[in-house]
Amino acid sequence: MNLLLILFVLLVGGGFGFSPSGSLSSSAERTPLTSTNLCARPQTRFREVNGNILTRRTVNDFMEELPDGWERALERAIEGAIYAPNHKRTEPWKFYLLGETAIEKVCRLNASLVASKKGEDAGAKKLARWLKMPGWLVVTCALSEGVESMAEPTSVLREDYAACCCAVQNLCLSLHSQGIGTKWTTGPVNFHPDFASAVGFDGSKEQVVGTIWFGTAEQRPTAPTKRKSVEDVLVRVE
């Protein structure tokens, strides 16, 4: 009788699913992702997706060591990232996972920029902080051929940059769902001529979208205060 009850609960509940540890049970692994699956149990899917969006936070302080399995988690996140909306299917994104040498080059370049404006002490302090960041991923966007400007509303450059920003959001949400925090950052160092060579890309063919720091958050960041409600930003047009 107990066995029948368990089987009934599993059938009604739709089988096994995603576990907090990030692993999938056997029935979920055997189920292909189809439009029928996506339409099943929409309320459950809404709670999972919307909950992931609403609980993602920018993480400023990370644990020194990356968590076990972080490389596979990152690969899954990049797979999700490249499914971002992309007008004309140009797929302009590229992701550079930095190792120790590249990280140190970027950190020292940034420290020198800070020191030139704020003094050696400020530069040294910034260097020490940046070297503590456990995971580094630089995202770039391909520069389209010909003369284009982001100011031109219909330019491929503008469309591609928007697509890459969507990709970064997908990436951050995917990592968050796997228990890995992120911070999407940009600054003067990203656009310095020496940054491209430190990271390993051609600055005449790619532009920086941002540096993504990732790892295990030291503590859960508090939710930001939203000044505007849905009604403040939703305009209903007859």
Side-chain angles (χ1 to χ4, degrees):
M1 187 67 178
N2 289 338
L3 179 60
L4 291 175
L5 179 60
I6 292 171
L7 290 173
F8 174 76
V9 170
L10 289 175
L11 288 171
V12 172
F16 300 104
F18 189 77
S19 70
S21 65
S23 62
L24 288 168
S25 63
S26 58
S27 64
E29 289 174 338
R30 291 195 301 269
T31 304
L33 187 61
T34 65
S35 58
T36 302
N37 302 141
L38 294 175
C39 293
R41 305 181 68 193
Q43 286 302 316
T44 299
R45 290 184 56 78
F46 163 75
R47 286 194 295 270
E48 292 173 351
V49 174
N50 214 49
N52 193 48
I53 293 170
L54 296 180
T55 56
R56 187 208 63 78
R57 300 284 182 269
T58 293
V59 176
N60 289 301
D61 297 300
F62 298 89
M63 304 291 286
E64 290 187 6
E65 299 296 327
L66 288 167
D68 293 340
W70 69 268
E71 288 186 86
R72 183 68 187 104
L74 181 63
E75 290 171 354
R76 285 193 291 256
I78 292 175
E79 181 181 19
I82 62 178
Y83 272 80
N86 177 210
H87 192 202
K88 299 183 179 179
R89 299 182 182 178
T90 54
E91 301 185 44
W93 34 65
K94 193 164 285 186
F95 305 84
Y96 293 85
L97 178 60
L98 306 193
E100 291 182 4
T101 300
I103 290 171
E104 184 166 353
K105 286 181 180 179
V106 171
C107 290
R108 292 194 178 281
L109 174 60
N110 182 66
S112 68
L113 295 176
V114 172
S116 66
K117 288 187 175 182
K118 300 181 180 180
E120 293 297 327
D121 288 345
K125 184 177 180 181
K126 185 66 71 172
L127 176 61
R129 171 166 168 73
W130 277 38
L131 286 172
K132 290 181 180 179
M133 297 300 163
W136 289 68
L137 189 74
V138 173
V139 183
T140 67
C141 175
L143 294 172
S144 52
E145 296 181 1
V147 179
E148 285 192 319
S149 169
M150 290 283 283
E152 173 56 48
T154 60
S155 69
V156 175
L157 178 61
R158 184 165 174 168
E159 294 274 5
D160 283 353
Y161 187 82
C164 286
C165 289
C166 292
V168 171
Q169 175 71 347
N170 280 4
L171 177 105
C172 293
L173 287 171
S174 178
L175 287 174
H176 171 56
S177 73
Q178 299 177 77
I180 296 177
T182 57
K183 180 172 183 174
W184 177 1
T185 178
T186 57
V189 68
N190 292 110
F191 310 105
H192 190 279
D194 292 339
F195 182 82
S197 60
V199 173
F201 67 90
D202 186 342
S204 68
K205 296 181 179 179
E206 300 171 43
Q207 65 175 333
V208 176
V209 178
T211 298
I212 314 300
W213 290 329
F214 63 91
T216 303
E218 282 193 350
Q219 58 184 6
R220 177 181 169 81
T222 57
T225 301
K226 294 295 181 183
R227 292 172 295 176
K228 296 181 179 180
S229 67
V230 173
E231 288 302 316
D232 290 327
V233 300
L234 174 61
V235 180
R236 293 177 169 84
V237 182
E238 295 294 340

